[in-house]
């Protein structure tokens, strides 16, 4: 197996050739990271911030368009060939000598583009001066910027490329699978540590805080955390309140994940405090649906077929059970393709990573959920999650 960098380049070049692209332009922070290893903090915290990574297929060249404030980080990482700096951010320099980094920084930001989209136009023209077919990731490209580029570059063909990036990232390198597994295992360990500290009267918010602390001390960043109790367990994706608290007989639904080395996790478990027969019965049904779906995963099966197995199996014990999807891919985004859903005829391949889930949400009562991460291997699926999938029972 090639190195991760070579693997990513080969995946990228293959999809560009398949789509007859001269240039591929990333705008989503995760896509920029995939191509050059740059974590763009500005894009993460400011929704209107634009950065672009331009990959030139013919020259195997990466040009990044980003704020001048990002340039020291980019120079440190060293995974791009050219930097086009944007904006008026100012650095000061040490009187005792700026050193090699300072010299490179001064050179890199000597010229500033007034906007990211003007810098992107310059990068495109430099690579393809007379025209070309450009795959532009529409994920974080404003429609006004897209239309402006079309007017300014009449001899260039712009095509949406978010789907192309999805195909590039569809198959994971073993190093990526290892990072996804580590992310999942950290989330599991932090979750179980929080569960061990649950007491009667503890709120959703307090349990969520324990989970976040557990992720942090294991070297990960909390990503999302839905911990819902009793009737709020029917709220699919929601906040954790300070008012909903654990009681005897409570059902607590955990759906959460973390970020480890830029890779996401997303797992789910259900806790019953004391006795709750309805929750136990429903959990038995959804667990069987999840496990049979995972047992059917192998190369050549479609995502839609896995969905149907999960749905039909769960309905054997819960006739009223309905779902619009029973899982999704996962990687540097929490929702990578494919979707384990009706209509998704993606053929599973070795190297894909999937989350399989069978949640149940009943407004007015509550909800139960189980979700696990697996890697598609030669003849089956391998669990990347390590914890027991059994219903968790607490006596408080």
């Amino acid at each position: 197996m090639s190195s991760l960098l070579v693997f990513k380049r080969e995946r990228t070049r293959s999809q560009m050739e398949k789509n007859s692209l001269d240039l591929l332009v990333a705008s989503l922070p995760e896509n920029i990271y995939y191509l050059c290893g740059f974590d763009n903090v500005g894009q993460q915290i400011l929704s209107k911030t634009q950065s672009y990574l331009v990959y030139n297929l013919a020259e195997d060249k990466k040009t990044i368009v980003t704020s001048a404030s990002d340039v020291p980080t980019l120079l440190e990482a060293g995974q791009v060939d050219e930097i086009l700096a944007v904006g008026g951010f100012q650095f000061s320099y040490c009187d005792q000598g700026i050193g090699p980094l300072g010299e490179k920084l001064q050179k890199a930001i000597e010229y500033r583009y007034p906007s990211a989209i003007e810098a992107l136009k310059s990068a495109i023209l430099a690579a393809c001066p007379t025209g070309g077919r450009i795959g532009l990731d529409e994920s974080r490209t404003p429609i006004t910027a897209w239309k402006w580029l079309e007017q300014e570059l009449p001899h260039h063909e712009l095509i949406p490329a978010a789907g192309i990036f999805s195909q590039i990232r569809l198959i994971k390198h073993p190093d990526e699978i290892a990072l996804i597994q580590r992310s999942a295992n950290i989330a599991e360990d932090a979750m179980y540590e929080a569960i061990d500290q649950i007491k009667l009267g503890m709120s959703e918010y307090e349990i969520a805080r324990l989970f976040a602390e557990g992720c942090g001390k294991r070297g990960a960043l909390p990503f999302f955390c839905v911990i819902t109790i009793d009737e709020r367990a029917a709220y699919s994706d929601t906040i954790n309140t300070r008012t909903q608290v654990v009681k005897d007989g409570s059902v607590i639904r955990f759906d959460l994940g973390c970020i480890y080395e830029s890779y996401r996790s997303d797992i789910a478990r259900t806790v019953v405090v004391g006795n709750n027969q309805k929750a136990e019965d429903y959990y038995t049904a959804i667990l069987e649906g999840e496990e049979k779906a995972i047992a059917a995963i192998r190369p050549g099966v479609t995502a839609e077929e896995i969905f149907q197995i999960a749905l039909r199996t769960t309905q054997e014990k819960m006739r009223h059970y309905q779902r619009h999807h029973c899982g999704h891919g996962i990687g540097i985004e929490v929702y990578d393709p494919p979707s384990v859903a009706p209509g998704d005829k993606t053929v599973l391949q070795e190297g894909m990573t999937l989350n399989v889930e069978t949640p149940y949400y009943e407004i007015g009562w509550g909800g139960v959920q189980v979700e696990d991460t697996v890697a598609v291997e030669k003849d089956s699926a391998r669990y990347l999650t390590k914890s027991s999938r059994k219903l968790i029972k607490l006596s408080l």
Side-chain angles (χ1 to χ4, degrees):
M1 172 63 72
S2 60
S3 70
L4 178 55
L5 287 176
V6 172
F7 176 85
K8 287 181 175 181
R9 185 169 65 246
E10 290 174 349
R11 294 283 308 169
T12 302
R13 293 176 68 86
S14 174
Q15 286 297 318
M16 289 181 70
E17 289 169 356
K18 181 179 179 180
N19 290 277
S20 302
L21 298 181
D22 297 296
L23 302 179
L24 181 64
V25 182
S27 69
L28 189 73
E30 289 81 1
N31 289 336
I32 292 173
Y33 174 83
Y34 187 88
L35 290 182
C36 74
F38 173 54
D39 272 320
N40 192 320
V41 175
Q43 277 195 304
Q44 293 171 10
I45 62 176
L46 299 171
S47 61
K48 293 183 179 180
T49 298
Q50 294 176 55
S51 292
Y52 299 97
L53 192 287
V54 182
Y55 181 63
N56 183 333
L57 179 63
E59 298 181 10
D60 190 26
K61 180 181 178 182
K62 299 172 187 176
T63 300
I64 194 161
V65 171
T66 195
S67 168
S69 63
D70 294 325
V71 174
T73 306
L74 285 162
L75 292 171
E76 184 180 64
Q79 291 190 30
V80 296
D81 302 297
E82 183 180 21
I83 300 170
L84 302 186
V86 177
F89 190 91
Q90 295 296 322
F91 293 97
S92 295
Y93 298 90
C94 180
D95 292 337
Q96 284 72 36
I98 62 176
L101 176 65
E103 291 174 359
K104 291 179 181 178
L105 174 60
Q106 283 186 330
K107 184 177 180 181
I109 64 175
E110 183 177 6
Y111 179 79
R112 313 289 189 87
Y113 287 86
S115 70
I117 200 63
E118 289 175 89
L120 177 57
K121 172 190 169 183
S122 177
I124 291 172
L125 284 173
C128 301
T130 60
R133 185 171 163 87
I134 317 300
L136 176 54
D137 176 12
E138 71 272 26
S139 305
R140 290 285 291 271
T141 305
I143 186 63
T144 51
W146 186 290
K147 289 183 176 180
W148 184 84
L149 277 178
E150 286 183 322
Q151 292 175 348
E152 293 291 313
L153 302 172
H155 302 296
H156 296 73
E157 181 185 5
L158 301 182
I159 67 166
I164 295 171
F165 276 103
S166 293
Q167 289 301 307
I168 291 170
R169 291 169 26 207
L170 187 65
I171 307 298
K172 272 66 175 183
H173 186 275
D175 289 353
E176 293 182 282
I177 294 174
L179 291 170
I180 294 166
Q181 181 170 16
R182 180 60 181 147
S183 182
N185 295 162
I186 289 173
E188 290 176 288
D189 290 343
M191 178 186 68
Y192 274 94
E193 184 175 66
I195 289 171
D196 287 342
Q197 299 177 71
I198 291 176
K199 296 179 176 60
L200 294 175
M202 186 174 283
S203 70
E204 297 170 340
Y205 180 86
E206 290 173 304
I207 303 170
R209 188 182 64 197
L210 293 173
F211 170 73
E213 291 171 355
C215 290
K217 72 183 184 182
R218 290 172 173 84
L221 295 173
F223 174 47
F224 78 103
C225 180
V226 178
I227 298 175
T228 48
I229 300 171
D230 296 331
E231 63 270 17
R232 292 197 82 253
Y235 298 8
S236 171
D237 297 312
T238 186
I239 60 171
N240 304 302
T241 69
R242 298 175 185 266
T243 54
Q244 193 83 351
V245 300
V246 176
K247 303 179 290 293
D248 186 44
S250 281
V251 179
I252 312 172
R253 184 178 63 83
F254 290 76
D255 184 13
L256 40 75
C258 65
I259 303 173
Y260 179 75
E261 299 291 339
S262 297
Y263 283 81
R264 270 63 171 173
S265 52
D266 179 10
I267 64 171
R269 294 290 185 265
T270 301
V271 172
V272 168
V273 179
N275 296 308
N276 190 313
Q277 192 59 51
K278 179 175 178 177
E280 293 190 29
D281 291 343
Y282 281 179
Y283 191 82
T284 298
I286 68 163
L287 177 59
E288 189 170 333
E290 186 226 33
E291 291 185 331
K292 285 198 173 180
I294 291 173
I297 291 175
R298 57 183 48 82
V301 178
T302 67
E304 180 180 47
E305 289 171 323
I306 300 304
F307 167 80
Q308 293 295 344
I309 292 168
L311 183 67
R312 289 197 304 266
T313 303
T314 306
Q315 287 175 336
E316 290 174 5
K317 288 185 170 65
M318 289 175 66
R319 292 186 178 181
H320 63 288
Y321 182 78
Q322 294 293 332
R323 276 294 290 170
H324 62 294
H325 80 82
C326 287
H328 51 86
I330 191 165
I332 53 177
E333 283 192 278
V334 70
Y335 266 48
D336 264 1
S339 180
V340 183
D344 193 323
K345 301 187 184 301
T346 301
V347 177
L348 301 187
Q349 302 174 59
E350 186 175 0
M352 288 184 178
T353 47
L354 301 172
N355 269 30
V356 180
E357 60 179 320
T358 45
Y360 174 70
Y361 311 110
E362 185 178 305
I363 297 297
W365 172 71
V368 291
Q369 186 174 2
V370 61
E371 181 174 14
D372 285 277
T373 307
V374 300
V376 182
E377 298 195 327
K378 184 177 180 180
D379 299 310
S380 61
R382 173 171 62 92
Y383 280 92
L384 302 183
T385 40
K386 63 179 182 179
S387 60
S388 170
R389 295 176 294 282
K390 291 181 180 180
L391 180 69
I392 302 165
K393 293 186 177 184
L394 298 180
S395 297
L396 303 180

